[in-house]
Amino acid sequence: MDPELLRQQKAFQKHAATTVAVQNKPSAAASSHTTYSSEAAKAKKKKASGPSQNLSKLPDFDNFASNSNAISNATNFSTMAKIVDYMKKRHLSQQQWPLTLKEVLDELQLYDLGKRNIAFLQEALPNNPRLMMEPNPDGDPTMNKFAFRPPYKIKGKTSLVAVARKHYQDGKGGILVSDLAECVANYDALLQQVAADVIVVPTQVNKKKDRVVFYNDKDFTFPELEDDFKALWRNVSVDHLDEKKIEEYLQKKGLDAMKDLTPKVRMQAPLKRKAAKRRHNQKVQNDHMEGVLEDYE
């Protein structure tokens, strides 16, 4: 290395060692005209984070209570739906003897229900239209027994024909197959057995495809229709319309729907009670007072 450069380096290091220069950092107040103070801001922020801010961090007990009530109601109604569905399956499998609420919950393996849920079920199940209750003779509501209530008392082909005939005679129309499916398990085989006594017609209920079972009145004779009328009838498609829309369309065309088709049953008037005959100007004889009364004329 060049000896001249080494000499200059040593001279620079010696001069730097003897000369100490301290450079102070300019303060924010000296270099700026702002009125902002970091210490004042920290004190203000600390003051703001007092009891009021801590209270705002507390949980909202009103929302918590409403949410817990909503969860409890959802649990109650879902449990009731499970009970009704289970009782329906028991009815269709010929297990039609009633059960208490505790027995039903045990068979469904629902062991995590609270006292409020069980109290709700004990009060709501007797009012459920799809269940029938057998009250306990001792008056204990916890021992009331429940069973499924089918839409109709149909157990076989004889009862099916009898109910369909009763609907026909009372002007109630037919029986929905969806309702029949809640009465017996093998409803399709049952309909095939009574095919000569009933008429099954496809329909639509609440935008769902269904079928209606009508009683086949063999004493009623209907004349043979002409082929032209059958063709006109089949060319008109009403599958996409419900009964209300069809009725509105007919009313626009000047055709009104027939009403009051139910056979009128004459009600016997209550028997009138005969009024007691009054006695007018009838002399009352006091025969039992003879010999006691005296005449002072």
Side-chain angles (χ1 to χ4, degrees):
M1 193 173 182
D2 191 358
E4 182 64 22
L5 291 177
L6 292 174
R7 186 182 61 79
Q8 293 179 3
Q9 182 183 8
K10 290 181 180 180
F12 176 77
Q13 292 177 351
K14 184 179 180 181
H15 177 70
T18 57
T19 305
V20 180
V22 178
Q23 184 178 3
N24 294 327
K25 186 177 179 181
S27 62
S31 61
S32 177
H33 299 284
T34 182
T35 58
Y36 175 77
S37 175
S38 60
E39 295 182 358
K42 290 181 180 178
K44 187 177 181 181
K45 185 176 181 180
K46 187 176 181 180
K47 185 177 181 181
S49 61
S52 61
Q53 187 175 0
N54 295 333
L55 289 176
S56 64
K57 294 182 180 180
L58 292 175
D60 192 348
F61 291 101
D62 294 337
N63 292 336
F64 178 77
S66 62
N67 293 336
S68 62
N69 290 335
I71 294 174
S72 179
N73 292 335
T75 303
N76 292 336
F77 287 107
S78 64
T79 305
M80 185 182 296
K82 290 180 182 178
I83 292 175
V84 173
D85 187 60
Y86 177 70
M87 301 302 285
K88 173 185 172 182
K89 291 179 180 178
R90 290 184 71 255
H91 176 81
L92 295 178
S93 60
Q94 300 302 321
Q95 302 177 15
Q96 300 177 1
W97 58 88
L99 299 176
T100 62
L101 176 60
K102 186 178 182 303
E103 293 172 343
V104 175
L105 296 178
D106 290 341
E107 293 190 9
L108 288 174
Q109 298 181 359
L110 297 175
Y111 305 114
D112 56 346
L113 295 178
K115 294 182 178 180
R116 290 186 178 181
N117 303 114
I118 296 177
F120 170 82
L121 293 175
Q122 289 177 351
E123 184 179 355
L125 288 179
N127 300 324
N128 194 303
R130 305 191 67 187
L131 297 177
M132 49 187 176
M133 185 187 72
E134 182 180 316
N136 181 260
D138 297 334
D140 187 2
T142 60
M143 299 304 295
N144 293 335
K145 294 186 177 182
F146 301 93
F148 181 72
R149 186 195 302 273
Y152 306 102
K153 294 181 180 180
I154 298 177
K155 296 183 179 180
K157 58 182 182 179
T158 304
S159 56
L160 173 57
V161 175
V163 172
R165 184 189 299 111
K166 188 73 168 60
H167 271 58
Y168 171 74
Q169 292 174 350
D170 296 343
K172 295 181 179 179
I175 304 170
L176 290 175
V177 175
S178 58
D179 291 339
L180 180 62
E182 295 186 356
C183 300
V184 291
N186 54 344
Y187 60 93
D188 283 329
L190 187 62
L191 290 175
Q192 293 179 359
Q193 295 176 5
V194 297
D197 298 321
V198 298
I199 300 174
V200 182
V201 179
T203 185
Q204 188 174 8
V205 180
N206 296 330
K207 298 182 180 180
K208 293 182 180 180
K209 292 184 178 180
D210 205 343
R211 292 177 292 170
V212 186
V213 180
F214 293 98
Y215 176 69
N216 185 13
D217 189 0
K218 299 178 182 179
D219 297 334
F220 180 76
T221 57
F222 192 78
E224 185 68 21
L225 294 177
E226 298 179 0
D227 295 337
D228 296 341
F229 185 80
K230 291 181 181 179
L232 290 173
W233 178 266
R234 290 169 181 169
N235 287 335
V236 178
S237 177
V238 292
D239 294 339
H240 61 287
L241 300 175
D242 55 9
E243 294 183 0
K244 186 176 180 181
K245 292 183 178 179
I246 295 175
E247 183 177 354
E248 292 176 354
Y249 176 79
L250 294 176
Q251 288 178 353
K252 289 180 181 179
K253 298 298 181 180
L255 300 175
D256 196 3
M258 297 178 65
K259 299 179 181 179
D260 298 333
L261 299 178
T262 307
K264 294 182 179 180
V265 180
R266 292 185 177 181
M267 300 296 294
Q268 293 184 355
L271 299 176
K272 292 183 179 180
R273 190 173 182 179
K274 294 182 178 180
K277 295 182 179 180
R278 295 184 178 180
R279 299 176 179 178
H280 299 286
N281 300 326
Q282 185 175 1
K283 187 176 181 180
V284 179
Q285 304 293 339
N286 294 326
D287 296 335
H288 62 286
M289 301 295 292
E290 186 176 0
V292 179
L293 298 177
E294 297 181 3
D295 191 0
Y296 293 97
E297 292 180 357

